[in-house]
């Protein structure tokens, strides 16, 4: 009788726990499945804005250009160099120099240090990479704080195009490279991504207490269902019913 009473209490506890977790976890499961389905329907190249901004285009340095020796750039940098990358930038060859103190641009022909990209140069970079229809008007703003829309290196230039997708191009102020592209599709994707990982502010943290709590809750939900399945398995119910019937006949 004691064992039967303990099983009954375990059955009731599992049933109640399973019921309430089904309501709470079920709501988040609906958000997980919905957000996951919607994100899978959005082509990743459209999320990245590749149909509007070509940030992967590479222009080869023309042959015949006399480049400054690396020693000249090393002397002009004034700091230990980690890497030097030669590339074309706004129609001129430059050397992108990475040091422990940051990344800077140098004139690849003279070895002289170049000033940080200006707002006009940042707009020119974004406009040159534009591949959408027409050439929409753009406004340039310098940003110095991380936001949900941009979490890259700071400071940076934000070029806002007046197109139907409200495209925003972010240009790093040290390298003059396009660091990020944000469109209406990206914002929709990012919104559902925040719901999916349960980080409703920055949309990037996988270790939120909410996500951990619901993950543990989902595991508990499964364990409760397993206990209920054990007690409600058809063969077990028939065997228990048969035993109860024999007990009643014996008492009679």
């Amino acid at each position: 009788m004691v064992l039967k009473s303990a099983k009954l209490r375990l059955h009731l506890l599992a049933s109640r726990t399973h019921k309430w977790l089904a309501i709470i976890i079920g709501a988040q499961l609906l958000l997980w499945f919905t957000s996951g389905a919607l994100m899978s329907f959005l082509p990743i190249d459209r999320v990245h804005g590749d149909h509007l901004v070509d940030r992967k285009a590479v222009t080869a340095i023309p042959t015949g250009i006399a480049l400054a020796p690396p020693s000249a750039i090393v002397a002009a940098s004034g700091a230990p160099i980690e890497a030097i990358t030669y590339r074309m930038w706004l129609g001129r060859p430059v050397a992108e120099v990475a040091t422990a103190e940051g990344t800077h641009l140098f004139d690849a022909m003279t070895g002289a240090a170049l000033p940080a990209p200006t707002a006009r140069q940042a707009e020119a970079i974004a406009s040159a990479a534009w591949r959408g229809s027409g050439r929409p008007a753009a406004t340039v703003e310098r940003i110095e704080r991380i936001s949900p829309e941009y979490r890259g290196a700071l400071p940076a230039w934000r070029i806002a195009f007046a197109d139907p997708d409200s495209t925003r191009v972010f240009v790093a102020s040290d390298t003059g490279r396009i660091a990020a592209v944000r469109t209406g599709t990206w914002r929709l994707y990012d919104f559902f991504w925040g719901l999916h990982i349960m980080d409703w502010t920055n949309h990037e943290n996988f270790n939120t207490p909410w996500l951990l709590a619901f993950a543990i809750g989902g595991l508990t939900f499964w364990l409760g269902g397993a206990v209920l399945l054990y007690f409600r398995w058809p063969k077990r119910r028939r065997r228990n019913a048969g035993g109860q019937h024999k007990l009643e006949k014996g008492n009679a």
Side-chain angles (χ1 to χ4, degrees):
M1 291 297 294
V2 175
L3 180 60
K4 185 176 181 180
S5 177
K7 287 185 176 180
L8 180 60
R9 288 197 298 269
L10 179 60
H11 180 274
L12 291 175
L13 176 62
S15 179
R16 292 173 181 173
T17 303
H18 193 74
K19 178 183 67 175
W20 285 107
L21 284 178
I23 297 174
I24 300 173
I25 301 297
Q28 182 58 36
L29 284 175
L30 178 62
L31 288 177
W32 278 336
F33 294 150
T34 303
S35 59
L38 289 173
M39 287 189 296
S40 66
F41 277 115
L42 297 175
I44 196 63
D45 57 336
R46 295 191 67 87
V47 174
H48 291 163
D50 295 339
H51 62 297
L52 295 175
V53 178
D54 184 9
R55 50 179 164 178
K56 299 179 181 178
V58 177
T59 303
I61 298 177
T63 58
I65 294 181
L67 299 179
S71 58
I73 297 176
V74 170
S77 66
I81 292 178
E82 299 175 352
I84 300 178
T85 303
Y86 290 90
R87 62 186 176 92
M88 293 296 292
W89 182 70
L90 293 178
R92 65 188 298 181
V94 298
E96 182 179 307
V97 179
T99 68
E101 299 176 358
T103 303
H104 306 280
L105 294 180
F106 291 79
D107 190 313
M109 293 186 293
T110 66
L114 296 176
T118 63
R120 180 170 295 183
Q121 288 174 326
E123 182 179 359
I125 293 168
S127 297
W130 178 259
R131 63 192 307 182
S133 60
R135 184 59 63 86
T139 57
V140 184
E141 179 184 1
R142 181 181 173 89
I143 59 172
E144 298 182 351
R145 292 183 180 179
I146 292 177
S147 66
E149 192 174 56
Y150 178 73
R151 308 177 187 96
L154 294 172
W157 296 103
R158 179 175 61 191
I159 298 87
F161 287 102
D163 66 310
D165 282 288
S166 299
T167 305
R168 304 290 184 266
V169 178
F170 294 85
V171 176
S173 64
D174 54 356
T175 64
R177 292 180 181 270
I178 295 178
V181 178
R182 304 296 184 237
T183 64
T185 305
W186 181 91
R187 296 180 190 94
L188 180 64
Y189 186 97
D190 188 61
F191 171 75
F192 285 111
W193 174 250
L195 293 179
H196 200 73
I197 65 174
M198 303 187 74
D199 180 6
W200 305 295
T201 303
N202 297 320
H203 303 178
E204 63 178 359
N205 185 10
F206 279 91
N207 301 318
T208 60
W210 286 107
L211 185 60
L212 179 61
F214 273 83
I216 296 175
L219 178 61
T220 307
F221 178 71
W222 182 89
L223 291 174
V227 172
L228 291 176
L229 183 62
Y230 172 78
F231 282 114
R232 297 176 181 179
W233 194 258
K235 291 183 179 180
R236 171 172 288 276
R237 295 179 65 181
R238 286 197 297 268
R239 186 166 60 250
N240 291 341
Q244 182 67 25
H245 180 66
K246 291 179 180 180
L247 179 63
E248 291 176 355
K249 288 181 63 177
N251 293 335

